[in-house]
């Protein structure tokens, strides 16, 4: 609702507008509005003038537009369709034209209105019946003299669906995070190898440098091997380590250099500084 | 003495009780239960050979005009207080959740058009059915899922429950107020629209009407 | 019928109801009450001027020899099933309980993902499945063992039974509602509802749910 709306000088227009606002909000969609308009014709729904009804509806939509009332899309779709229906009803039928005649369409709309009205009446009659727990009562005190309980478990299809829905939506609402595979990072390998450099003398196979808990499973072992190898290259570059390999795909041997540790140490300090 | 001998004795002693006794038994069993009991459940409870159908008729007649009535609920039976005495029971009234207009209309459409698909409900009401409406009706135990419709998409259908019949004092779906007249007037038909109707979900509604 | 109308009618008539009517009233009130009612409580509930003592005698006589008796409980009154029919009541003690959350979730997973291994159920639920849960479902006749999975360890798989389908009114496993339909029914309502109506993207049974 625009703010300046209430500044309109004409009280009558304002009142009309307010009536309309209330009306639009009170209706459950175009069919509901049409039914209310149809009732104002005060005839049997089967004898209702669909032409007149279309005009009433289009008039309503026009008024709403003029008063700058926001109408939901389905109200406008209905308006367009009714305008089309109106033209069909007014123009003589074109024999070459395929598809349903204006009369067929009008008859169906009248049927829809009558059916909706009938369902409303049925709903009212239903709710007007004597209801259990309000007008009619079940036995209040079920007897407690029974023993030997046989438990039967019960569940309805809805319970089942609800349970499955619960599991399914649980996944929708876990916070987004990327699951990391088992990866041994080069930084981890470097830190670990620096730690054990001093305790290791002579040539050792690369495999011996891998952490114990990364040795057994294929993926973890591969990751640890790659990281440790990259770390070994880094240490060799800094002069902390010698690397030897007899040939392609042969085992890789590593040997700490007795003096190299210091070089690596200096390098590390340099990085830190 | 073993089970078989016991069974034998039992059957000899109770070899199909006379109908009056069957009525007493039915009366006791139905009285003790709050929920309606199906014919099958009653047959299982009573000694073998009892004619539950006949006993029910006799029992119902005994309660005619009384303060408590034998009521039929679908294919089940229960004792219920007479509707005209509801005013005495103000202390027993249970607070009921107030249903929205949308929920009441949806309930009526399910009852009168069952089994009905969601698209058909929407086509009749002319608006979409909000997700909570059917869920609420299902939670109240008045509506449940029926079989899938054997049409393209195999949509789910909704039907009313025995709890619905019990709540509104209906012996069966045929007892719904005015249902015969509505059917005679063709208002329960799923009449397809002569063309693509204005509402967006109509094509699908039409698809379902092809059965 | 509502309270006021009923009350109004009585007050307008201003006459004490005839004794037969008083008996009907007593009968309904005693039937619907959750506990035995004392003479005083009964007098308070019935219209003024009723002779509760006399009505109780008349009502008690009507129930003589019947399957239900008007019984005195301390200084109060209640209906009780006849003592000689107690043997019928002992079968009455069927107690229905809701399945536990773990059980219903496990059942749902078996239904939607069958054949499914225990490890898969645990992965989907995100918690371990106690041995008792699957045992319970098997004992109830809703789940049974399927073929072994042809993977290392050859784990056992679980599938649902015909009894499961019967209980839930499903023609086949394919009739289980799909995700889109769950959402449309409001059971998965914590996401914006999809624009397409449910029947259009209705899943082909389980296939869709398995990805």
């Amino acid at each position: 609702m625009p703010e300046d709306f209430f500044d309109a000088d004409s009280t009558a227009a304002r009142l009309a507008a307010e009536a309309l606002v209330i009306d639009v909000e009170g209706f459950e969609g175009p069919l509901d509005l049409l039914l209310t308009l149809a009732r104002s014709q005060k005839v049997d729904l089967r004898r209702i003038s669909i032409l007149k009804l279309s005009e009433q509806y289009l008039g309503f939509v026009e008024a709403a537009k003029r008063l700058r009332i926001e109408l939901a899309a389905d109200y406008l779709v209905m308006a367009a369709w009714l305008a089309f229906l109106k033209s069909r009803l007014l123009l003589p039928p074109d024999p070459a034209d395929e598809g349903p005649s204006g009369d067929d369409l009008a008859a169906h709309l009248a049927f829809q209105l009558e059916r909706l009205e009938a369902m409303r009446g049925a709903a009212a009659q239903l709710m007007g019946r004597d209801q259990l727990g309000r007008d009619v009562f079940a036995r209040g005190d079920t007897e407690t003299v029974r023993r030997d309980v046989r438990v039967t478990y019960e569940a309805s299809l809805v319970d089942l669906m609800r349970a499955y829905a619960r599991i399914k939506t649980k996944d929708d609402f876990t916070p987004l995070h990327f699951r990391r595979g088992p990866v041994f990072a080069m930084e981890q390998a470097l830190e670990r190898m620096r730690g054990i450099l001093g305790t290791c003398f002579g040539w050792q196979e690369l495999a011996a440098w891998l952490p114990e808990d990364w040795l057994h499973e294929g993926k973890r072992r591969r990751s640890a091997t790659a990281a440790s190898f990259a770390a070994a290259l880094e240490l060799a570059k800094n002069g902390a380590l010698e690397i030897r390999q007899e040939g392609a795909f042969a085992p890789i041997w590593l040997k700490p250099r007795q003096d190299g540790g210091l070089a690596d140490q200096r390098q590390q300090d340099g990085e830190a500084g | 003495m073993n089970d078989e001998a016991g069974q034998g004795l039992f059957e000899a002693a109770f070899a199909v009780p006379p109908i009056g006794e069957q009525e007493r038994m039915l009366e006791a069993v139905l009285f003790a239960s709050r929920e309606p009991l199906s014919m099958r459940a009653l047959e299982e409870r009573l000694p073998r050979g009892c004619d539950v159908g006949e006993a029910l008729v006799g029992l119902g007649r005994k309660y005619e005009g009384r303060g408590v009535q034998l009521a039929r609920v679908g294919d089940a039976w229960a004792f219920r207080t007479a509707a005209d005495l509801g005013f005495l029971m103000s202390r027993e009234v249970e607070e009921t959740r107030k249903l929205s207009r949308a929920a009441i209309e949806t309930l009526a459409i399910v009852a009168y058009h069952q089994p009905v698909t969601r698209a058909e409900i929407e086509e009749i009401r002319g608006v979409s059915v909000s997700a909570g409406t059917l869920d609420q009706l299902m939670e109240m135990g008045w509506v449940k899922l029926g079989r899938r419709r054997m049409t393209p998409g195999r949509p789910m259908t909704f039907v009313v429950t025995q709890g619905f019949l019990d709540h509104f004092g209906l012996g069966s779906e045929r007892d719904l107020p005015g249902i015969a007249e509505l059917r005679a007037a063709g208002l329960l038909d799923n009449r397809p629209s002569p063309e693509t109707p204005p509402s967006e979900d109509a094509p699908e509604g039409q698809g379902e009407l092809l059965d």
Side-chain angles (χ1 to χ4, degrees), chain A, chain B:
Chain A
M1 174 81 43
E3 289 245 329
D4 60 346
F5 192 78
F6 292 103
D7 298 335
D9 7 317
S10 161
T11 319
R14 196 171 68 233
L15 287 178
E18 279 166 5
L20 260 181
V21 174
I22 291 159
D23 280 351
V24 174
E25 286 181 348
F27 290 120
E28 269 198 274
L31 203 57
D32 188 22
L33 170 58
L34 276 168
L35 184 57
T36 309
L37 295 174
R39 282 204 197 102
S40 70
Q41 290 190 27
K42 294 197 168 79
V43 290
D44 186 337
L45 276 176
R46 258 169 279 197
R47 269 177 276 283
I48 195 89
S49 162
I50 292 295
L51 193 57
K52 195 172 154 196
L53 186 62
S54 303
E55 273 159 9
Q56 280 177 284
Y57 186 90
L58 294 173
F60 177 91
V61 169
E62 268 312 300
K65 269 198 215 157
R66 200 168 57 241
L67 294 162
R68 286 185 277 165
I69 290 168
E70 302 239 348
L71 281 177
D74 47 350
Y75 282 84
L76 300 175
V77 171
M78 179 61 92
W81 186 80
L82 285 173
F84 162 77
L85 174 59
K86 204 175 116 182
S87 70
R88 282 249 166 157
L89 288 171
L90 289 174
L91 296 171
D94 178 356
D97 191 11
E98 297 206 356
S101 72
D103 288 340
D104 291 343
L105 296 176
H108 187 71
L109 179 59
F111 168 72
Q112 282 181 294
L113 292 173
E114 200 190 345
R115 183 174 60 180
L116 179 59
E117 171 95 331
M119 281 302 112
R120 296 229 160 125
Q125 271 185 290
L126 198 58
M127 297 316 281
R129 287 184 69 86
D130 293 323
Q131 294 183 32
L132 188 68
R134 193 189 72 182
D135 311 293
V136 169
F137 296 84
R139 176 94 191 269
D141 176 27
T142 42
E143 302 195 8
T144 48
V145 278
R146 327 165 184 170
R147 288 286 173 262
D148 51 279
V149 181
R150 198 183 90 198
V151 179
T152 55
Y153 287 93
E154 171 196 66
S156 70
L157 188 54
V158 172
D159 296 330
L160 189 74
M161 289 163 55
R162 213 170 257 150
Y164 193 66
R166 197 160 56 217
I167 300 164
K168 279 286 150 187
T169 40
K170 187 184 66 193
D171 289 344
D172 292 348
F173 287 89
T174 45
L176 179 68
H177 67 271
F178 295 97
R179 225 180 271 174
R180 284 187 72 158
V183 172
F184 195 64
M186 196 192 97
E187 289 73 24
Q188 272 174 287
L190 201 54
E191 198 175 318
R192 181 185 143 80
M193 289 173 86
R194 276 191 184 122
I196 55 177
L197 266 179
T199 65
C200 179
F201 301 97
W203 292 102
Q204 293 271 5
E205 221 187 308
L206 177 61
W209 293 71
L210 302 189
E212 178 67 23
D213 54 334
W214 288 75
L215 273 177
H216 304 295
E217 197 196 320
K219 261 189 196 166
R220 289 167 71 89
R221 185 187 170 92
R222 277 199 293 280
S223 172
T225 305
S228 299
F229 179 63
L233 290 177
E234 182 69 25
L235 290 169
K237 197 176 95 187
N238 296 339
L241 206 69
E242 279 178 72
I243 304 182
R244 181 162 67 92
Q245 188 179 28
E246 307 291 343
F249 305 110
I252 294 165
W253 297 85
L254 311 177
K255 187 179 99 158
R257 277 169 62 164
Q258 300 313 323
D259 57 334
L262 293 172
D264 180 53
Q265 195 59 49
R266 275 196 301 279
Q267 171 78 14
Q268 225 186 321
D269 292 346
E271 275 170 12
Chain B
M1 165 159 125
N2 61 36
D3 273 18
E4 273 179 33
Q7 197 64 33
L9 263 177
F10 183 88
E11 292 197 352
F14 286 87
V16 187
I19 190 74
E21 188 62 17
Q22 291 183 31
E23 286 178 21
R24 283 187 75 226
M25 290 175 172
L26 262 190
E27 188 177 28
V29 168
L30 284 169
F31 226 85
S33 172
R34 243 179 109 86
E35 303 305 321
L37 294 172
S38 69
M39 284 283 277
R40 212 178 116 188
L42 291 169
E43 271 159 11
E44 276 172 15
R45 301 254 167 104
L46 261 56
R48 205 169 300 181
C50 285
D51 186 341
V52 171
E54 197 190 326
L56 279 167
V57 172
L59 190 62
R61 207 171 287 136
K62 282 216 172 76
Y63 276 88
E64 256 165 41
R66 301 272 294 273
V68 171
Q69 304 279 298
L70 182 60
R72 187 191 168 139
V73 183
D75 69 341
W77 298 81
F79 278 116
R80 298 290 181 243
T81 60
D84 66 313
L85 299 176
F87 70 98
L88 292 170
M89 251 67 73
S90 55
R91 286 183 212 194
E92 320 290 343
V93 172
E94 299 148 24
E95 274 304 311
T96 46
R97 221 156 127 194
K98 205 157 164 32
L99 282 179
S100 67
R101 179 174 132 178
I104 293 170
E105 280 184 23
T106 302
L107 178 64
I109 291 170
V110 173
Y112 284 80
H113 289 261
Q114 65 175 335
V116 66
T117 67
R118 185 191 182 79
E120 287 161 356
I121 299 171
E122 296 187 337
E123 144 92 359
I124 293 169
R125 295 200 66 230
V127 283
S128 61
V129 176
S130 86
T133 305
L134 279 164
D135 192 31
Q136 184 191 9
L137 293 172
M138 289 198 281
E139 196 159 285
M140 294 176 82
W142 288 352
V143 167
K144 65 177 183 185
L145 293 170
R147 298 208 162 240
R148 282 176 183 276
R149 182 70 54 80
M150 288 302 152
T151 50
R154 307 183 72 226
M156 286 196 291
T157 63
F158 297 91
V159 295
V160 290
T161 63
Q162 180 181 285
F164 165 86
L165 297 177
D166 194 16
H167 186 92
F168 291 98
L170 297 162
S172 79
E173 290 85 351
R174 282 187 299 278
D175 296 336
L176 283 165
I179 193 163
E181 293 81 349
L182 290 172
R183 181 163 293 131
L187 291 169
L188 301 183
D189 300 349
N190 277 326
R191 204 179 289 179
S193 160
E195 56 118 50
T196 311
S199 66
E200 53 186 3
D201 46 16
E204 163 205 341
Q206 252 180 314
E208 261 148 37
L209 302 171
L210 293 173
D211 51 326

